[in-house]
Amino acid sequence: MTGYLSQPLARRASVGVNVGGVMVGGGAPVVVQSMTNTDTADVDATVAQVAALYRAGSEIVRVTVDRDESAAAVPKIRDRLARLGMNVPLIGDFHYIGHKLLADHPACAEALAKYRINPGNVGFRDKRDRQFAEIVEIAIRHDKPVRIGVNWGSLDQELLTRLMDENQKAGFPLTADDVTREAIVQSAILSAQMAEEIGLPRKRIILSAKVSRVQDLIAVYAELAKRSDHALHLGLTEAGMGSKGIVASSAAMGILLQQGIGDTIRVSLTPEPGGDRTREVVVAQELLQTMGFRQFLPVVAACPGCGRTTSTVFQELAQTIEGDLRRNMPVWREQYPGVEDLKVAVMGCIVNGPGESKHADIGISLPGTGEMPAAPVFIDGRKAATLRGPGIAADFQKMVAEYIETRYGRRKAAE
């Protein structure tokens, strides 16, 4: 049986863009990126957050460049990260005065791996085209790519008004939402055409068109992909906090990715007070991994629990194993090639426990309520041991570590 559910669709053909050594588009794997929420002028805080995002798996990190102090800090941030062994591409996010900041701070222009500009607020009226051109010319001089990022919260009002007037004269064949979506698409494409006319190569341009409603995002990017072969950055802007932001971003981007649309993604989560900024990186990775586009971490399968699993041992063990894997992955990727393909099962009772554990590389079936106090462990589909007593969790953790060393350490030695 074949169908669209059997395999993710092939990537949409797009022009590849080199962003500080990370390839976006052109058939490359979908890239995960994120953005800091520190004051960029605070070098210590920004370096710490970029480092945390990079360790979590963000392959590109964007920083706000909104004034002279933040522009002056960018080279210092780049150099500090390099000394830490983190050559993460930094993207400068510019609004309103980006042309001036880049011109006044050439060291910032050079240190950044890409510039992000918004055609809706790069300049107004007669200044718009001139200031847009100034940024593009600086990008050309420094051989930097540019993301032309349209956002419906700051859409070019002159373009929108013109399209609304044309729609009115035609007898309102389109709804106001339809016209707004068309304005978003046109803003991105017309801006890209202008950049190319100035001299910026297509291989230095990435487009994005962000909105905050799921159906609008799907419609806008589907249309953008029809009309352009530029590399596309996906993201639901102002996605929201917690589960709402995660569900909305996953629903919108999941549909587009399944259609082969999108070359780099960001999950724009509103962090909870005191929350961890790296959460958006984890969600982006999990989305790509769940859909089968990338493999970042070993998969930990765990049952949801039911009346047979009144003990929380399997939940605690699954959480511990997953935490250990994520924490150790930055080192293990280098130490144990292929470890991200590992599959671990932590199950809670006899119903699905043994079967699910056999399907994993290494799995444990913990005793459910009323079952014998024994936990069989399966390795490569065969029963390898039975754990008993209060140390089951610690014993299994040790077995997982030994399995990784035996299987993936041997692969490293063979290479």
Side-chain angles (χ1 to χ4, degrees), residues 300 312-328 332 344 346 393-394 396-398 400:
V300 179
T312 61
V313 174
F314 83 95
Q315 298 165 330
E316 294 162 359
L317 181 55
Q319 183 180 50
T320 299
I321 293 294
E322 192 161 296
D324 285 347
L325 294 172
R326 182 168 290 279
R327 185 168 51 254
N328 287 311
W332 282 357
V344 181
V346 181
F396 183 66
Q397 283 180 258
K398 182 179 178 181
V400 171

Side-chain angles (χ1 to χ4, degrees), residues 55-56 285 289 295-301 317-333 336 339-346 361-362 396-397 399-405 408:
R55 290 191 188 100
Q285 287 183 326
Q289 181 159 318
Q295 189 71 28
F296 297 98
L297 289 170
V299 174
V300 179
L317 181 55
Q319 183 180 50
T320 299
I321 293 294
E322 192 161 296
D324 285 347
L325 294 172
R326 182 168 290 279
R327 185 168 51 254
N328 287 311
M329 277 306 293
V331 174
W332 282 357
R333 283 193 188 96
Y336 303 117
V339 69
E340 63 272 10
D341 296 324
L342 176 70
K343 295 177 177 60
V344 181
V346 181
D361 295 312
I362 179 169
F396 183 66
Q397 283 180 258
M399 292 182 74
V400 171
E402 290 173 348
Y403 181 85
I404 290 172
E405 172 63 35
Y408 298 100

Side-chain angles (χ1 to χ4, degrees), residues 241-265:
M241 183 181 289
S243 60
K244 185 268 180 187
I246 293 171
V247 171
S249 292
S250 300
M253 290 193 285
I255 290 171
L256 290 166
L257 289 166
Q258 185 65 31
Q259 294 174 358
I261 298 172
D263 302 292
T264 178
I265 67 170

